């Protein structure tokens, strides 16, 4: 494996090398599963172009050409290459360069035709529907999870439903021990290849569903991009959980709490049903296990027709016989009708094990762009909850605050008007939130630099506006609490 990694790096078969060779448009097209631009850009005979054709574009390459680039005999013996057409070789898996967060040169292994997740990304190698047991490569969901994961040094990390191993690969940078599980034994094999080819430490690899392989072990970090798709049946292991509706995601979240060490995080991508007569917020709130704080963010909602079409295309069913496609589509709608489901939400669920007597559970919808990586913002969210739980209104007024970095103020109103209709504070980092504030809130936030207590600032504002300072002190803590909770203000000690 080390010889193959050395050969790939020697040919500059890296994320940066690909970008330089292909150019941004072809590189982006390749990430969408479109190969024509990359084929046009890799017509030469350089080692890098040869590897692009072999591993990314699944083109046969002559033995003579490969002999100058790879240890052919070793690759054939270990199953990376197979002989086709007499004197040519084809790759047996997709190998895709992936840049780590600190510039590491990593490689993600996946099945042929399954390198990119998302709609249309999991069709079979022959262009037909995906087969059960295939292992996908890096897609939008997996990079989203990697970006939101809290990256602190931990003793034990668990990647539940590892797939191609990307989450285990990231965890290997900051966890002493990494365990990766999957119901699909082929996924464990591919994860082993991903870690070895990337030069990462080996992980403990266990086969099984949900938490069965690890029993009652405790972890400081649990991450999971599970088979969360709500579908009729369990046709495709990589996406279909085999439980009714969103039951798999519910079970995963509820069971995670008992496997978290004190202060540990569990971070999960999930789908949940929007059911007639039920608030989706209450549905997912009920999943949160005892002894855990939670932050649940709904990023997207699709009606049942959009959702069915997305995942039918993901499996390549739209390329099959129209009658078979229509039958599968009809089965999805039957499933949703039986469940009373009108739409499906997608989002992030983060749990933190806490011994606080009053758990903090935040459930919100935020479909707007965010700044990735978001792991530090996730950790800061829970730190703010701790602060607010420990400080009543009197303690808030005695506290010192500062305006968070890169928060700007916008004033909205008619041109020429003496006063704005409203004032908006907007973040340019993290969640990139925006919130409306009144004159007092805007003035308070603008003055916060950590030097004066909140109470003294409010008294000064009251004097400036000619208001009763006692009345202002009584109503302002709620606004301070909201600004701290959303990350516009940060406790500054004092």
């Amino acid at each position: 494996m080390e010889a193959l990694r050395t050969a790939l790096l020697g040919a500059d078969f890296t994320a940066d090398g690909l970008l330089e060779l292909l150019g941004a448009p072809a590189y982006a097209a390749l990430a969408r599963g479109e190969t024509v631009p990359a084929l046009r850009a890799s017509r030469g005979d350089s080692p890098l172009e040869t590897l692009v054709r072999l591993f990314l574009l699944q083109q046969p390459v002559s033995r003579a050409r490969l002999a100058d680039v790879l240890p052919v005999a070793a690759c054939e013996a270990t199953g990376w290459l197979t002989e086709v057409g007499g004197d040519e070789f084809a790759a047996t898996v997709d190998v895709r360069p992936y840049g780590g967060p600190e510039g590491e040169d990593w490689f993600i292994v996946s099945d042929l035709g399954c390198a990119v997740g998302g709609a249309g990304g999991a069709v079979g190698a022959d262009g037909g529907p995906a087969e059960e047991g295939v292992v996908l490569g890096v897609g939008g969901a997996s990079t989203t999870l990697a970006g939101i994961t809290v990256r602190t040094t931990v003793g034990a990390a668990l990647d539940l439903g590892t797939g191609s191993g990307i989450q285990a690969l990231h965890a290997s940078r900051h966890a002493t021990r990494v365990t990766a599980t999957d119901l699909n034994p082929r996924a464990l094999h591919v994860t082993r290849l991903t870690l070895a080819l990337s030069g990462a430490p080996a992980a403990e690899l266990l086969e099984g569903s949900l938490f069965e392989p690890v029993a009652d072990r405790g972890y400081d970090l649990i991450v999971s991009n599970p088979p969360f798709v709500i579908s009729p049946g369990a046709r495709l292991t990589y996406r279909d959980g085999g439980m009714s509706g969103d039951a798999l995601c519910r079970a995963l979240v509820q069971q995670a709490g008992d496997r978290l060490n004190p202060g540990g995080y569990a971070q999960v991508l999930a789908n949940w049903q929007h059911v007639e007569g039920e608030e989706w917020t209450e549905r997912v709130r009920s999943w949160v296990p005892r002894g855990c704080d939670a932050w649940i963010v709904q990023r997207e909602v699709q009606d049942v027709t959009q959702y069915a079409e997305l995942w039918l295309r993901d499996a390549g069913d739209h390329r099959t016989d129209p009658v078979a496609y229509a039958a599968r589509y009809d089965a999805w709608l039957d499933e949703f009708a039986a469940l009373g489901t009108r739409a499906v939400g997608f989002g992030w669920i983060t749990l933190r094990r806490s011994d606080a007597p009053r758990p903090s559970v935040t459930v919100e919808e935020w479909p707007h762009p965010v700044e990735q990586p978001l792991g530090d913002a996730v950790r800061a969210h829970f730190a703010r909850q701790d602060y607010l739980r420990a400080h009543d209104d009197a303690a808030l007024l005695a506290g010192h605050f500062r305006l968070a970095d890169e928060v700007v103020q916008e004033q909205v109103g008619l041109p020429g008007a003496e006063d704005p209709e409203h004032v908006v504070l907007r973040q340019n980092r993290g969640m990139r939130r925006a919130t409306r504030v009144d004159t007092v809130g805007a003035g308070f936030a603008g003055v916060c630099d950590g030097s004066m207590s909140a109470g003294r600032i409010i008294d000064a504002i009251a004097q400036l506006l000619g208001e009763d300072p006692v009345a202002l002190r009584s109503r302002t803590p709620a606004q301070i609490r909201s600004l701290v909770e959303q990350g516009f203000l940060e406790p500054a000690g004092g």
Side-chain angles (χ1 to χ4, degrees):
M1 192 70 71
E2 184 60 35
L4 177 55
R5 175 174 169 79
T6 298
L8 298 180
L9 294 177
D12 202 20
F13 189 63
T14 63
D16 289 341
L18 285 184
L19 181 59
E20 184 175 350
L21 171 69
L22 302 179
Y27 189 78
L30 192 61
R32 298 191 300 269
E34 296 291 346
T35 59
V36 173
L39 280 167
R40 291 172 60 87
S42 59
R43 291 170 171 168
D45 291 327
S46 71
L48 177 56
E49 288 167 299
T50 299
L51 293 177
V52 167
R53 292 197 300 275
L54 178 70
F55 284 122
L56 302 188
L57 304 178
Q58 283 86 58
Q59 301 292 306
V61 177
S62 70
R63 178 187 294 270
R65 187 73 203 96
L66 272 184
D68 295 331
V69 182
L70 295 177
V72 175
C75 288
E76 187 179 13
T78 52
W80 290 90
L81 300 176
T82 185
E83 192 171 4
V84 294
D87 197 41
E88 290 186 321
F89 283 96
T92 59
V93 291
D94 185 292
V95 177
R96 193 152 300 230
Y98 179 80
E102 299 297 330
E104 299 95 339
D105 289 315
W106 289 342
F107 300 95
I108 307 298
V109 181
S110 65
D111 279 320
L112 297 176
C114 298
V116 182
V123 298
D126 60 356
E131 298 177 0
E132 181 180 358
V134 298
V135 179
L136 268 62
V138 178
S142 53
T143 55
T144 292
L145 179 58
I148 67 173
T149 299
V150 175
R151 300 296 177 191
T152 55
T153 301
V154 297
L158 171 64
D159 176 13
L160 191 153
T162 187
S164 61
I166 180 175
Q167 309 305 330
L169 184 56
H170 277 279
S172 71
R173 295 182 61 251
H174 61 102
T176 303
R177 300 180 306 280
V178 177
T179 299
T181 70
D182 206 289
L183 183 63
N184 180 5
R186 177 156 178 77
L188 300 177
H189 173 66
V190 169
T191 292
R192 182 180 293 108
L193 298 180
T194 289
L195 294 173
L197 194 57
S198 298
E204 179 187 35
L205 303 177
L206 301 175
E207 182 181 343
S209 177
L210 293 175
F211 290 98
E212 292 173 1
V214 299
D216 296 326
R217 295 192 209 172
Y219 293 91
D220 306 300
L221 175 67
I222 299 172
V223 292
S224 183
N225 177 16
F228 54 66
V229 176
I230 301 171
S231 59
R235 176 181 161 215
L236 298 175
T237 305
Y238 73 87
R239 70 171 199 193
D240 301 323
M243 297 185 185
S244 177
D246 52 20
L248 182 135
C249 292
R250 181 180 70 246
L252 195 162
V253 172
Q254 291 177 337
Q255 294 174 23
D258 291 336
R259 275 80 177 184
L260 283 177
N261 294 331
Y265 289 89
Q267 298 188 263
V268 178
L269 301 185
N271 273 172
W272 43 78
Q273 297 163 240
H274 286 228
V275 177
E276 294 289 349
E278 176 187 60
E279 290 294 330
W280 73 267
T281 53
E282 294 307 309
R283 184 180 190 87
V284 293
R285 186 184 295 271
S286 72
W287 297 0
V288 178
R290 285 188 175 185
C292 288
D293 298 326
W295 185 19
I296 301 169
V297 183
Q298 180 167 273
R299 295 288 289 158
E300 184 180 3
V301 180
Q302 292 181 310
D303 67 47
V304 292
T305 60
Q306 293 173 314
Y307 188 82
E309 291 162 13
L310 168 69
W311 294 107
L312 287 167
R313 292 183 64 84
D314 170 85
D317 289 319
H318 60 302
R319 294 180 170 88
T320 64
D321 174 54
V323 175
Y325 174 80
R328 289 193 187 278
Y329 198 151
D330 203 38
W332 282 69
L333 298 184
D334 283 344
E335 177 79 2
F336 287 130
L339 296 170
T341 303
R342 57 183 174 80
V344 178
F346 166 79
W348 320 324
I349 299 177
T350 299
L351 306 177
R352 184 189 62 165
R353 190 73 187 178
S354 171
D355 59 1
R358 292 182 294 111
S360 166
V361 179
T362 301
V363 184
E364 62 177 321
E365 184 166 18
W366 189 253
H368 311 294
V370 300
E371 181 192 42
Q372 286 277 36
L374 204 62
D376 287 345
V378 172
R379 184 172 52 169
H381 166 88
F382 288 98
R384 293 194 298 270
Q385 305 312 306
D386 289 342
Y387 177 87
L388 292 172
R389 271 191 300 224
H391 291 75
D392 59 15
D393 287 356
L396 282 183
L397 292 175
H400 293 234
F401 301 92
R402 71 175 187 86
L403 191 66
D405 293 337
E406 296 194 42
V407 172
V408 297
Q409 176 178 302
E410 300 174 357
Q411 297 187 167
V412 181
L414 294 174
E418 184 174 346
D419 295 311
E421 294 178 13
H422 59 264
V423 177
V424 174
L425 298 181
R426 187 178 302 277
Q427 301 168 347
N428 288 321
R429 302 292 304 274
M431 291 293 286
R432 292 178 173 163
R433 298 185 186 277
T435 187
R436 289 179 60 169
V437 292
D438 59 17
T439 302
V440 173
F444 181 88
V447 174
C448 282
D449 61 3
S451 62
M452 288 194 297
S453 70
R456 287 186 60 193
I457 294 173
I458 290 171
D459 291 342
I461 292 174
Q463 184 176 13
L464 183 65
L465 298 179
E467 292 199 30
D468 179 1
V470 175
L472 199 59
R473 274 177 171 256
S474 69
R475 74 170 192 261
T476 304
Q479 191 166 189
I480 297 174
R481 192 172 294 276
S482 176
L483 291 175
V484 172
E485 185 173 26
Q486 296 179 75
F488 290 94
L489 295 178
E490 299 174 349

